[in-house]
Amino acid sequence: MLETLFAMNPATIAAFTSAGILLNLTPGADVAFATASGVSGGPRAGIAAAIGISLGSLVHVALAVLGLSAALLALPHGYDIVRYLGAAYLAYLAVKTWRSAGSLADAQGEASLYTALKRGFLTNLFNPKVALFILAFLPQFTDQAAGPVWQQMLILGLIFNTTGILITGAFGAAAGLARAQLSRYGAALGKFTSIIFGGLAVRLIWE
């Protein structure tokens, strides 16, 4: 693996890293989810959600390396099945968060770290658009002369996840800090979080 890394063109790696950072800085579903988690459970919950999102992305990278993502998306209705599962899970989170909004003012962020991580992981795992993005984006920065393409994709995937977790985690932590300042508005924050989850569900279905 190290031999492949050293054989890769540094300019290509730099271009890929820069493109990945720009993409991560563009607010999307991952940032929205981490932000909502931070608002709901505090800075640590926002960071935990970002870690879960990154773990879900790593699964997509691994599946892309193995060729399983392409096979799944090639199956009749395979893309739609995964997409609807993801939307259903987000809708469930929206309803659950809405119902428990009144208790958010007393919630402790560190008490929900596992939940935030699990939710981030499952949300990303059930988003077939992540698989499509990885399948379309990573191969563009590979070169057969640098070594096995699967190793290059794995390396690039790890780089992308590293920058992603740092940026998404920063968004989640910032939202959590703002939540701490606005803790007296716990019910309103809970409703806001629920609306974000519901919006992500609709977006996943209709985009």
Side-chain angles (χ1 to χ4, degrees):
M1 186 73 73
L2 287 177
E3 182 178 350
T4 299
L5 173 61
F6 293 138
M8 295 174 68
N9 189 331
T12 299
I13 295 178
F16 172 83
T17 303
S18 299
I21 290 174
L22 289 175
L23 287 169
N24 285 315
L25 285 172
T26 304
D30 291 350
V31 168
F33 190 89
T35 299
S37 297
V39 169
S40 176
R44 294 184 179 181
I47 294 173
I51 294 173
I53 289 169
S54 180
L55 291 175
S57 182
L58 280 177
V59 172
H60 284 295
V61 170
L63 292 177
V65 168
L66 295 173
L68 296 180
S69 289
L72 173 63
L73 296 175
L75 291 174
H77 308 297
Y79 177 90
D80 290 332
I81 291 173
V82 177
R83 182 162 55 101
Y84 290 140
L85 285 174
Y89 181 68
L90 285 167
Y92 160 76
L93 292 183
V95 173
K96 184 176 181 179
T97 304
W98 185 277
R99 290 178 175 176
S100 63
S103 63
L104 285 178
D106 300 321
Q108 297 295 322
E110 61 270 17
S112 60
L113 297 184
Y114 171 73
T115 300
L117 188 149
K118 180 183 69 174
R119 288 179 175 181
F121 174 74
L122 292 177
T123 299
N124 200 284
L125 185 66
F126 288 133
N127 187 350
K129 293 181 180 180
V130 178
L132 283 174
F133 168 78
I134 290 174
L135 284 171
F137 188 58
L138 267 60
Q140 297 182 38
F141 295 87
T142 62
D143 181 0
Q144 291 185 350
V149 172
W150 72 267
Q151 290 187 9
Q152 296 180 60
M153 288 181 62
L154 183 58
I155 291 169
L156 294 173
L158 291 174
I159 293 173
F160 183 75
N161 272 270
T162 300
T163 58
I165 195 172
L166 292 174
I167 295 171
T168 306
F171 275 104
L177 291 173
R179 181 258 192 191
Q181 300 299 319
L182 301 172
S183 60
R184 60 184 180 277
Y185 301 111
L189 291 176
K191 304 294 187 185
F192 173 73
T193 302
S194 176
I195 291 172
I196 291 180
F197 289 158
L200 290 175
V202 173
R203 175 181 175 179
L204 188 57
I205 292 176
W206 290 106
E207 277 195 350

